[in-house]
Amino acid sequence: MKRQKVTALFMTAVMAASLLAGCGDSNEQASGAGQSAAGEAGSAGADEGGKKEIKEFTAFFGVPGSEINDDNEIQQIIAEKIGAKCKETWLTGQSAEEADGTLIAGGEYPDFIGSSGRLLDAGALVALDEYLDNYPNIKNFYTDEEWDKIRQEDGHIYWIPQFGNIWEKDMTTTHNDEAFWIQTRVLKWAGYPEIKTMDQYFDLLERYVAENPTMENGTPNIAYTILCEDWRYFCLENAPQFLDGYPNDGSVLVNPETLTVADYNTTPTAKLYFGKLNEEFKKGIVDPESFTQTYDEYIAKLSTGRVLGMIDQWWDFAYSVNDSIKVQGLEDEGCNYVPLPLTISEDVKNQWRATSPDGTLNATGGVAVSVSCKDVEGALQFIDDLLSPEIRRLRAWGVEGVDYEVGEDGLFYRTDEMRMKVADTAYKASHLCSYSYFPQYGGLDADGINAASPGEQPKEFLDSLPVNVQECLQAYGCSTYIDMVGTNDEPGPWYPMYSYSNNMTTATPGGTAWIKMGEIKHEWLPKVVMAEDFEKGWDEYMDVYAACKPEDFLAEMQEELDRRIQLAEDSKAE
Amino acid sequence: MGKTKQKENNQRTEITWKEIKRQKVLLFWAAIFVVYGFIFCYVPLAGWLMAFQNYKPQLGLLHSEFVGLAKFRQLFEDAAFLRVIRNTLAMGVINLAATFVMAIVFAILLNEVRSKWGKKSVQTISYLPHFLSWIIVTGILHDALSSSGIINELLLKSGILQQPLNFFAHPKYFWWIVAFANVWKETGWNAIIYLSAITSIDPCLYEAAAIDGAGRWAKIRHITMPGIKPTIMILLLMNVGNVLNAGFEVQYLLGNGLVKSVSETIDIYVLKWGISQNDYAIGTAAGIFKSAVSIALIVIANQLAKRAGEERLF
C-alpha cells in the first residue's frame, strides 16, 4: 500500500513537471515572440509628462554590433535636438536568417529593421515611396534613377540603402573589403618585399614563424588562422574568385567578355588554393583550431596580436581588433594588419577592390520601416533629421572640444588623448552614437572642407595611423590602405551578383541547390584542408558537390545576369 | 498472484454526485491544469496544418495552398533528414543511458555517505550545474577541450598525447562529448528524485537486514534497489518518450562544419529549414514526425512494462 502511495505521489509530481516541459517543446517554433515584443514599446514611447516630447524608436539590424548604453551622451544630445531617439539592437549568437525567421514567426517587429528579401515576402515592410516627397533629406539622398533601382517588382520602395553614398568627393582611405591580411611586423622583418601570389605569402609566413616562434611577451605566434563559423566561412571559401583575378561577385564568376557565369568552386585555382591550405595545415602553419573556433574566439585570438595573417573583410575584424591592439600597446610591435591583393600567379591582375567613383549603390538592402511601427511619419522624420548636416557631424565626429578640435584652417583634428579615448569600448558605449546602420554619407562633410568622418580626413587618418602601419605604407609607396590593393572600376551593371544569390530560397531548384552547396562546402572544405590524402579528399568532395546540382544554381544566376544586363541596356536606351 | 492483488488496489470508486462534491477541491485544481494544458498544449496544435500546406507567412494558415503529404515526401527523400534522425536517436539513447545510470549510481553512493554534512554539501554542489544555462556549459567545455585547455594540458603533461588533440574536429568524439556534458550537468539534479525515493524506504527493513547479517552491499542489492525500482521504471518510461528530445542548444552551440554530419538533431533541422529558410511547412512536418515517434516509443515501452508486470504510466 505504502509503496503505491509513494509512487502515486511521484507520478503526479513528475507528470506535472513533464507537462510543463512538454509545452515548452511544442512552443519551440514560436519562441521568437518574446524577442519581438521589444518593438512595441518604441513608437508609443512619447513622454507626455516631460517638457519636450522625445519619441523613442526601436531598431534591429541583422548584423553583429555593439549596443550602446541607454544614457549615451551623444544620443541624448541628438534626441534633444530632433526630438527622437532610437534603441538599436544587433545580432547576438544567431544568424541573420534565424533572427528574421523568428521575427516573422512572431509577427511583431521593431520600428526600424535591416531589410531582407524574406521580410519583404512576409509583408513586414512598409512601402515608403508615397512618403518620400515630404522628407527632402531622404529624397535627395538618391537620384530618381537610383530610387528606381531600389524599387521592387511591385513598383514600391521598401528600404533606404544606407551605405556607399558619397558627398561631393570620395575620401575613402581604408580597404573595407576582403583581402589576405598580414601583420606589418612580418613585412618589416622581411624588408618589405613585394608579395603578389598566394605561394609567396605562405612562404613568407613560414620563414617568419620559423625564426620568430613567439611574440615579445612569449605568446606563441599563430601563422595563419581561418574563420569558419556559420556564414562567416567566406573567409575560407571565396578566395578562389579573387585569386583568379575576379571581383567579389560572391557566388559566381562573371566573364565580362562572354557575359556568362561560371562556378569558382571547381576551378583549377580552387584546387590549388585548398591544396595549398592542406599542405600548410600539415606543416602546422594553419591554426589547427581554425575550423572549430567561434567568431568570438577568433576575435579574441586576433586581439592578442599573435595571429600573423588571415583572409577576412576589414569590417569583420578591424574595428574591435585594432582598438584592442592599440589599448594593449601592441602597435609598436607591429601587430596591425595591412591588406595584400594576392592572386594565384603574378600575371593575373587583382580585383580585390572594385567600386565606382560615386560609390556603389547596393540597392538590395537598407533600413526599412516595419508594419509594427505605429508612427511611420515620425520614423521617416527621424531618418530625415539624422541626415541634416549638424546631426551628421555629431554622428561621425562627436562633440566639438570633446571628441575633436577645429584647427585655424577650419580642419578638424583629434588629439592623441582623444584618439585613445574613442578607441575605448566603454567610452564608445557611453558617449559615441553613430547610428551606424542608418543612412549616412561618406566623402565630405557638408562644410565642403572636412571629411564626413575622422577615418576619411586625410591628415587625421595619417596622424591616427599606427606608426608601424605608416612605416609599412611608406615602404610600399602608399598613403592609404587602398593604395596597397589598388582600385578597379565595377566590372559591369550586373555587379555584385551576390545581391541576388543572398536572397535565394528553397522555392526554386536553383535556390535549393545553392543552399545545399553551402551546406556541403561548409562541411567538406575543412575536411579537405585537414585530409591526410588531399587528392582523395578533393575527389570525394567534388563528388558530393556535384550531387547538389550546382548547374541548377548556375542556370538561375545566368538568367539573373541576363536580366540585369538587359535592364541596364533598357535604361541607357531611355 | 501479484496481478490480481494489484487489480483490487486499483478498483475504481463509482462516480456519484456525492463523490464529486467530496472531491470538489481536487476537481477544481485539476480543472485549472486541464485548461492550462488545453490552451498551451492543444491549441497550438492547429499550427500542424502548416505541414500540409505550402505555407507562406503573409497568406497565413487560412489562405495558404494545401499540398497534402508532399512536404512529408520531400522530408523523407532528403538524405540530410535521415541523418539527423540517426543523430537524434543515437545521442538520445546515449544520453538516456548515461544520465540514467549515473543518477541512480550517484544517488545510491550518496545515500551511503554517513556524515550528514558531507552528504548535504556534495548533493548541493552536484546539482548546481543544473542551473547553468547551456551557453555557459558549452563555453566551459569549449575552453576545457580546446588545444590549450585543461584536458589537453593534462593529457600532454601525463604523456598520453604528444600533440594537442582538437576534440571538436573529430566526428567520432562528438556524441560522447555531448553525453559527458549532459551527465555533468544533470546527474546531481536527477539523483534528487532517487534520493527521496530511498528516504521513503522503511528503516525497519535495513535494521532487520542488519540483524540478519547483511553487509552494505547486500543491503543495497536487496533493499535499496527493490525499494526504488518503481521510481526507476516510471522515470525510464518517461525518458524513453523523451529520447528524441536529444537536445538542441548543446549540439547547436558545440557543433561546427566539421562535425555537422553527426551533430545536427531534428530540432536543429527544424530551425534551419523552418526558420532560417522560411520553409515553415517542412519544419512543421519534421516536428510532427518527431512527436509521432515519441508517442509510439512511449506506448511501446509502456506495453513492455505492462507485460513484465512492472510499474507503468497508463
Side-chain angles (χ1 to χ4, degrees):
Chain A
M1 267 311 272
K2 189 161 185 196
R3 202 181 76 173
Q4 290 281 333
K5 237 185 190 168
V6 171
T7 322
L9 198 71
F10 279 129
M11 263 178 63
T12 349
V14 174
M15 284 301 275
S18 71
L19 190 71
L20 293 169
C23 288
D25 284 347
S26 57
N27 282 343
E28 205 162 42
Q29 296 182 355
S31 63
Q35 199 184 15
S36 54
E40 227 172 320
S43 23
D47 176 17
E48 286 173 20
K51 260 185 266 163
K52 194 172 177 189
E53 203 175 289
I54 290 183
K55 292 181 183 170
E56 284 191 31
F57 295 102
T58 52
F60 171 76
F61 299 102
V63 292
S66 328
E67 240 170 78
I68 58 173
N69 298 353
D70 284 339
D71 56 352
N72 179 288
E73 288 161 17
I74 292 184
Q75 187 173 50
Q76 201 51 43
I77 297 173
I78 296 178
E80 275 156 23
K81 285 188 195 292
I82 68 176
K85 65 199 266 189
C86 180
K87 169 86 184 157
E88 300 159 293
T89 48
W90 311 88
L91 268 192
T92 39
Q94 77 278 61
S95 68
E97 286 85 16
E98 283 163 18
D100 283 353
T102 28
L103 285 176
I104 293 169
E108 289 275 350
Y109 308 91
D111 299 319
F112 295 107
I113 190 157
S115 73
S116 71
R118 70 191 72 229
L119 285 169
L120 181 64
D121 284 345
L125 309 180
V126 176
L128 301 176
D129 29 335
E130 52 203 89
Y131 296 97
L132 286 182
D133 286 333
N134 304 330
Y135 304 97
N137 288 340
I138 303 181
K139 179 83 183 164
N140 296 331
F141 196 58
Y142 291 112
T143 63
D144 284 345
E145 285 145 30
E146 284 174 319
W147 282 118
D148 282 343
K149 277 195 188 172
I150 304 166
R151 277 178 210 281
Q152 297 306 299
E153 277 168 26
D154 63 2
H156 289 298
I157 293 167
Y158 289 94
W159 54 72
I160 309 166
Q162 57 275 73
F163 302 111
N165 204 330
I166 287 166
W167 185 274
E168 304 270 333
K169 186 172 140 200
D170 187 5
M171 307 285 283
T172 315
T173 47
T174 310
H175 177 56
N176 195 34
D177 307 313
E178 197 164 325
F180 276 91
W181 299 86
I182 193 165
Q183 287 185 332
T184 58
R185 58 175 166 147
V186 183
L187 295 171
K188 186 177 181 180
W189 171 83
Y192 301 112
E194 286 286 330
I195 304 290
K196 287 192 167 157
T197 69
M198 175 180 81
D199 290 332
Q200 292 166 357
Y201 176 80
F202 280 107
D203 176 58
L204 175 61
L205 290 180
E206 273 178 47
R207 283 189 287 124
Y208 183 85
V209 276
E211 215 163 292
N212 308 279
T214 67
M215 294 174 64
E216 282 168 18
N217 61 15
T219 316
N221 285 323
I222 297 172
Y224 186 82
T225 195
I226 305 168
L227 174 59
C228 193
E229 195 198 33
D230 199 18
W231 58 272
R232 289 192 174 86
Y233 88 124
F234 63 79
C235 301
L236 172 68
E237 67 89 26
N238 74 7
Q241 61 175 345
F242 295 111
L243 290 171
D244 261 340
Y246 285 90
N248 194 8
D249 267 310
S251 48
V252 287
L253 305 176
V254 177
N255 184 322
E257 259 118 59
T258 61
L259 297 177
T260 49
V261 298
D263 189 353
Y264 63 73
N265 293 296
T266 51
T267 57
T269 300
K271 191 175 174 188
L272 280 175
Y273 162 70
F274 290 109
K276 185 77 186 172
L277 289 181
N278 179 275
E279 182 192 327
E280 299 296 333
F281 186 85
K282 285 182 190 146
K283 284 186 194 162
I285 295 296
V286 172
D287 179 10
E289 280 176 15
S290 289
F291 307 118
T292 54
Q293 67 193 344
T294 62
Y295 177 64
D296 290 340
E297 287 166 340
Y298 166 80
I299 289 296
K301 212 178 262 180
L302 257 55
S303 300
T304 60
R306 61 195 287 218
V307 179
L308 305 180
M310 73 283 166
I311 292 188
D312 205 345
Q313 297 258 353
W314 170 266
W315 48 259
D316 199 34
F317 75 94
Y319 302 112
S320 42
V321 169
N322 282 356
D323 285 348
S324 56
I325 285 176
K326 184 182 185 72
V327 174
Q328 291 173 85
L330 289 170
E331 287 181 350
D332 300 336
E333 204 179 325
C335 291
N336 290 87
Y337 294 94
V338 291
L340 293 174
L342 304 183
T343 50
I344 197 71
S345 64
E346 292 207 26
D347 54 333
V348 176
K349 181 180 172 348
N350 102 76
Q351 290 197 64
W352 286 84
R353 179 178 154 81
T355 179
S356 83
D358 335 318
T360 308
L361 169 66
N362 182 356
T364 55
V367 59
V369 179
S370 81
V371 288
S372 299
C373 178
K374 297 195 177 67
D375 181 9
V376 178
E377 281 158 12
L380 288 171
Q381 187 61 50
F382 175 70
I383 298 183
D384 196 66
D385 290 337
L386 285 185
L387 285 170
S388 66
E390 187 190 3
I391 307 297
R392 260 154 59 190
R393 195 178 291 172
L394 271 169
R395 287 165 69 193
W397 281 92
V399 179
E400 186 181 334
V402 180
D403 301 304
Y404 67 96
E405 300 286 353
V406 184
E408 283 171 13
D409 46 2
L411 284 177
F412 301 164
Y413 66 94
R414 276 177 171 162
T415 63
D416 277 339
E417 198 190 337
M418 287 170 177
R419 281 182 207 130
M420 205 60 174
K421 251 191 345 194
V422 297
D424 177 43
T425 322
Y427 185 75
K428 278 192 275 193
S430 69
H431 181 75
L432 299 175
C433 172
S434 63
Y435 285 126
S436 56
Y437 266 69
F438 282 96
Q440 56 196 265
Y441 283 103
L444 286 177
D445 185 81
D447 67 7
I449 312 170
N450 287 289
S453 68
E456 297 191 333
Q457 185 90 322
K459 188 158 170 358
E460 178 56 30
F461 168 76
L462 277 180
D463 289 349
S464 67
L465 209 57
V467 179
N468 69 82
V469 180
Q470 276 181 31
E471 281 172 8
C472 178
L473 293 182
Q474 257 165 26
Y476 287 101
C478 301
S479 53
T480 65
Y481 287 101
I482 298 283
D483 299 341
M484 291 287 288
V485 286
T487 301
N488 298 280
D489 283 341
E490 286 178 0
W494 60 81
Y495 185 80
M497 290 302 285
Y498 65 73
S499 60
Y500 185 73
S501 50
N502 279 0
N503 286 333
M504 279 181 148
T505 66
T506 49
T508 62
T512 309
W514 166 240
I515 285 156
K516 287 203 172 138
M517 283 153 63
E519 299 263 300
I520 290 299
K521 281 160 69 182
H522 214 134
E523 180 177 350
W524 276 86
L525 292 178
K527 276 193 194 172
V528 164
V529 173
M530 292 170 70
E532 287 293 327
D533 179 353
F534 174 73
E535 288 294 332
K536 192 168 147 251
W538 181 260
D539 290 345
E540 279 173 16
Y541 163 52
M542 282 293 110
D543 285 345
V544 286
Y545 181 76
C548 306
K549 301 190 181 150
E551 61 278 7
D552 288 355
F553 165 71
L554 292 172
E556 279 175 33
M557 291 306 279
Q558 183 68 50
E559 251 172 62
E560 173 65 11
L561 177 69
D562 295 343
R563 191 190 70 85
R564 288 186 180 189
I565 291 170
Q566 190 60 46
L567 207 68
E569 276 170 11
D570 290 350
S571 70
K572 229 184 254 169
E574 277 171 26
Chain B
M1 272 301 281
K3 240 179 186 176
T4 46
K5 203 180 160 203
Q6 223 168 34
K7 260 196 188 141
E8 275 162 31
N9 280 338
N10 282 350
Q11 222 167 39
R12 292 176 181 228
T13 325
E14 238 172 275
I15 302 171
T16 58
W17 276 114
K18 199 177 143 207
E19 192 60 31
I20 290 175
K21 260 190 191 158
R22 201 169 66 83
Q23 299 192 4
K24 60 176 183 286
V25 179
L26 286 175
L27 282 171
F28 170 75
W29 287 108
I32 290 182
F33 278 100
V34 169
V35 170
Y36 175 89
F38 180 74
I39 293 176
F40 290 102
C41 298
Y42 284 88
V43 172
L45 289 185
W48 276 16
L49 269 181
M50 278 190 253
F52 307 97
Q53 294 180 328
N54 193 2
Y55 181 78
K56 294 267 175 280
Q58 76 272 37
L59 297 176
L61 269 185
L62 295 178
H63 304 288
S64 292
E65 169 206 4
F66 275 90
V67 292
L69 292 175
K71 290 290 172 183
F72 286 91
R73 212 167 298 132
Q74 192 186 338
L75 199 61
F76 287 103
E77 278 166 8
D78 185 358
F81 184 66
L82 302 178
R83 207 170 49 219
V84 300
I85 295 178
R86 179 203 67 184
N87 296 342
T88 313
L89 275 174
M91 277 186 271
V93 171
I94 296 174
N95 287 350
L96 173 62
T99 53
F100 196 66
V101 172
M102 284 302 284
I104 296 170
V105 170
F106 185 70
I108 292 174
L109 287 180
L110 204 57
N111 187 54
E112 294 300 317
V113 175
R114 286 284 167 260
S115 137
K116 194 148 196 193
W117 182 85
K119 189 171 162 180
K120 284 279 167 224
S121 45
V122 169
Q123 194 184 345
T124 310
I125 292 169
S126 68
Y127 74 64
L128 279 182
H130 172 78
F131 297 101
L132 296 178
S133 71
W134 273 117
I135 184 85
I136 295 172
V137 176
T138 53
I140 295 173
L141 266 180
H142 225 263
D143 275 352
L145 291 174
S146 74
S147 335
S148 52
I150 181 161
I151 306 278
N152 266 309
E153 204 92 328
L154 283 175
L155 291 174
L156 287 177
K157 291 257 161 72
S158 60
I160 297 175
L161 286 181
Q162 304 306 319
Q163 282 285 321
L165 179 66
N166 191 349
F167 288 94
F168 291 107
H170 302 280
K172 61 184 172 203
Y173 298 131
F174 190 80
W175 292 348
W176 306 103
I177 293 173
V178 171
F180 172 79
N182 272 299
V183 167
W184 181 76
K185 191 169 183 292
E186 301 299 348
T187 296
W189 179 257
N190 291 343
I192 292 178
I193 209 160
Y194 297 110
L195 273 174
S196 49
I198 293 173
T199 332
S200 70
I201 296 172
D202 193 341
C204 300
L205 293 174
Y206 287 106
E207 283 160 29
I211 293 168
D212 286 348
R216 269 198 182 188
W217 183 237
K219 278 193 239 169
I220 292 174
R221 263 186 65 188
H222 298 294
I223 299 173
T224 315
M225 289 295 279
I228 59 173
K229 198 167 136 203
T231 315
I232 294 180
M233 285 313 292
I234 293 290
L235 285 181
L236 183 62
L237 284 181
M238 310 220 32
N239 284 333
V240 165
N242 260 331
V243 155
L244 287 188
N245 287 333
F248 164 69
E249 295 106 316
V250 62
Q251 290 88 350
Y252 183 75
L253 294 166
L254 286 179
N256 59 58
L258 276 172
V259 295
K260 222 158 55 119
S261 57
V262 296
S263 73
E264 285 185 345
T265 60
I266 297 181
D267 292 338
I268 294 179
Y269 185 91
V270 169
L271 175 84
K272 207 158 77 183
W273 292 92
I275 300 288
S276 302
Q277 298 305 334
N278 254 9
D279 196 339
Y280 293 82
I282 204 125
T284 313
I288 292 177
F289 170 77
K290 190 181 140 185
S291 303
V293 174
S294 293
I295 293 171
L297 278 177
I298 212 163
V299 169
I300 293 169
N302 197 57
Q303 288 302 320
L304 288 178
K306 202 185 219 168
R307 254 183 236 163
E310 297 290 351
E311 293 292 333
R312 56 184 194 266
L313 283 170
F314 46 85

